[in-house]
Amino acid sequence: MMSTSSLLLSLVLLVQSIAIASSFAVSSSSSPKRKTVSNQGKAAGGFAKKAPDSVPISHTRDESPSTQNLINFLLQWKSEGVGGPDAGTEVGFDIDNGVRGMYATKPFKKNEIVCKIPSDVALALVDPNSATEESMNPADGALNFLRWYQNNEQARQTWSAYLDTLPTREAHFDPSPDFYSDAEIEQLEFPMVVEKVNERKNEILALSESESIPFDELQFAAWLVSSRSFAIKMMVDDPLVREDVRKIKALEKSIRLLLPYLDMINHSSDKANAELHLIDPEKDEAWFSIRAARPIKKGQEITIPYGAAGLETSVSLLMNYGFVPDENRIDSMMLGNGGEGCIESVDGWSTTLEEDEAQLSQASGNMINVLKLRTKLKRSYPSESD
């Protein structure tokens, strides 16, 4: 079992070795700033009325003790932009649906840093020394999460301010399909989904039996790992490998991290206004930050694209995060490519789009997402004119 100090040392070495990130950009705090001049938003003569830099408030601030404890913890670690009206961001609940998210408390320009936390407060879910180029199995990550943090008395005390903000079965939990009943899984119908769901359930079951951990405990930890962690790519600084271009893939390792506060940001497939960004990975004081991908107005929810390079299908989003997005252009690309695990056309389903829409209007529980995925995919098949 890795100690807390060993994990922190390994993470520092990991961050210093990152050269390529699959889902976020890397920069240096000493990089020269480029000034751009644009007449965007101006009339031909240059005197257009300035657009408002705020939007009507659509959330209520999260003032729970757990969230305030996390903010205080992060401020002790010199985090910036977290936690209140003057900071730049705050955690809140959408007035309409009650979903927790992060909101801007002041306007941000494109490429401006919205908030940042030091790499010292990131929690690794795999030993960097044993990481491979393959993406981590959620069941294995869950085992490490339980051993290294949740059920480790010393680590639990160290990271309690963050661990206490994580979802529970009673709050902020959107079950992924491995929590569905066998009948609900069968109703998903799309072969790729059904196969992946059953594969994950079997992986969790096998590990729970071999490690004598209750299935329910390991399953929920696997959901936390898949839905809350960020995947990054690191480069192995090995001259012997680097000399052989045929072994270039051997240079890459994949690792997952839990990033406190930043993991409260919600997803947008097509309209994300921010991105995860790593500052100064070569230095001891590296930072994980959120950077504005476009101008963000005061009061606006901050969103990022989840997954590798922000290109996740609705199938993957349901599998790993437990939700189906309203819009996702990647679905049409997936269905257009077809292949194993796909239903080749809308006529290959057992029901019509209209039948699913009618059932969705009456659905409850897990069947809401089952039918949302079915209707979402059926609407995404490329038309003959595409």
Side-chain angles (χ1 to χ4, degrees):
M1 179 182 298
M2 296 184 68
S3 66
T4 302
S5 57
S6 297
L7 276 172
L8 287 173
L9 176 60
S10 296
L11 188 55
V12 169
L13 296 176
L14 176 151
V15 172
Q16 291 177 342
S17 69
I18 292 176
I20 295 178
S22 63
S23 56
F24 57 91
V26 179
S27 72
S28 169
S29 59
S30 59
S31 300
K33 303 297 187 295
R34 293 182 296 173
K35 183 177 181 179
T36 59
V37 179
S38 172
N39 66 347
Q40 183 177 358
K42 299 179 181 178
F47 295 101
K49 183 178 180 180
K50 183 180 179 181
D53 60 2
S54 64
V55 298
I57 299 300
S58 61
H59 70 281
T60 58
R61 187 171 180 233
D62 179 0
E63 297 183 343
S64 64
S66 59
T67 297
Q68 297 310 307
N69 287 341
L70 173 62
I71 291 169
N72 292 335
F73 172 79
L74 293 175
L75 290 176
Q76 291 174 6
W77 284 90
K78 300 181 181 180
S79 300
E80 297 180 11
V82 303
D86 300 326
T89 69
E90 66 182 10
V91 178
F93 299 97
D94 186 284
I95 292 175
D96 293 329
N97 58 32
V99 173
R100 184 170 65 177
M102 185 186 295
Y103 295 83
T105 57
K106 66 179 183 180
F108 292 94
K109 298 178 181 179
K110 181 179 179 179
N111 293 328
E112 190 174 357
I113 297 300
V114 174
C115 60
K116 64 181 184 179
I117 63 171
S119 59
D120 289 336
V121 301
L123 282 69
L125 292 170
V126 62
D127 181 353
N129 297 317
S130 63
T132 67
E133 65 183 81
E134 299 297 327
S135 181
M136 182 190 64
N137 182 318
D140 292 332
L143 181 63
N144 291 341
F145 172 76
L146 293 174
R147 285 179 170 175
W148 297 350
Y149 306 109
Q150 189 71 40
N151 298 336
N152 180 313
E153 184 176 350
Q154 178 184 356
R156 172 76 200 182
Q157 183 175 358
T158 300
W159 301 107
S160 61
Y162 169 60
L163 297 176
D164 290 344
T165 66
L166 289 175
T168 66
R169 286 179 177 269
E170 292 73 36
H172 313 301
F173 174 45
D174 298 311
S176 49
D178 53 295
F179 289 85
Y180 295 2
S181 69
D182 291 341
E184 290 168 338
I185 293 173
E186 184 178 352
Q187 287 293 311
L188 287 165
E189 192 170 341
F190 203 67
M192 181 189 301
V193 185
V194 175
E195 180 181 345
K196 288 183 177 181
V197 172
N198 289 324
E199 180 181 338
R200 179 171 296 182
K201 290 182 70 174
N202 290 334
E203 289 170 348
I204 296 172
L205 178 60
L207 193 59
S208 70
E209 292 177 345
S210 65
E211 300 294 334
S212 299
I213 298 176
F215 175 83
D216 289 350
E217 181 180 8
L218 189 64
Q219 183 186 34
F220 187 75
W223 178 83
L224 284 173
V225 167
S226 65
S227 67
R228 306 294 291 194
S229 63
F230 293 82
I232 66 170
K233 295 285 187 181
M234 59 178 287
M235 297 296 286
V236 181
D237 190 14
D238 187 340
L240 296 179
V241 176
R242 192 177 295 277
E243 288 176 0
D244 190 344
V245 295
R246 294 170 300 177
K247 297 180 180 178
I248 189 65
K249 288 296 292 182
L251 292 171
E252 289 189 2
K253 287 187 176 183
S254 179
I255 191 168
R256 279 190 171 271
L257 304 173
L258 292 169
L259 302 178
Y261 194 79
L262 306 190
D263 64 359
M264 294 189 188
I265 301 177
N266 288 320
H267 165 86
S268 176
S269 293
D270 297 344
K271 298 179 181 179
N273 56 21
E275 61 187 359
L276 185 64
H277 184 72
L278 182 58
I279 303 172
D280 294 335
E282 75 285 353
K283 297 182 179 179
D284 290 340
E285 294 186 358
W287 299 85
F288 288 100
S289 70
I290 297 300
R291 183 175 66 177
R294 63 184 69 183
I296 301 174
K297 297 181 178 181
K298 178 181 178 180
Q300 191 171 3
E301 182 176 9
I302 298 166
T303 58
I304 61 174
Y306 287 176
L311 301 175
E312 292 284 7
T313 65
S314 296
V315 168
S316 295
L317 291 170
L318 179 60
M319 274 294 305
N320 295 319
Y321 302 93
F323 68 86
V324 178
D326 293 331
E327 302 293 337
N328 191 351
R329 66 185 184 278
I330 305 302
D331 292 338
S332 294
M333 296 170 58
M334 174 191 71
L335 293 169
N337 292 332
E340 186 177 356
C342 284
I343 296 177
E344 296 298 326
S345 72
V346 69
D347 296 329
W349 293 79
S350 63
T351 57
T352 66
L353 173 60
E354 292 73 22
E355 288 171 335
D356 283 351
E357 288 175 334
Q359 290 186 55
L360 179 58
S361 66
Q362 305 295 323
S364 61
N366 295 329
M367 283 304 298
I368 293 177
N369 273 338
V370 169
L371 290 163
K372 283 183 70 174
L373 182 67
R374 291 171 65 104
T375 56
K376 179 71 181 66
L377 293 179
K378 289 177 182 180
R379 294 192 190 104
S380 300
Y381 282 97
S383 64
E384 293 182 359
S385 60
D386 290 343

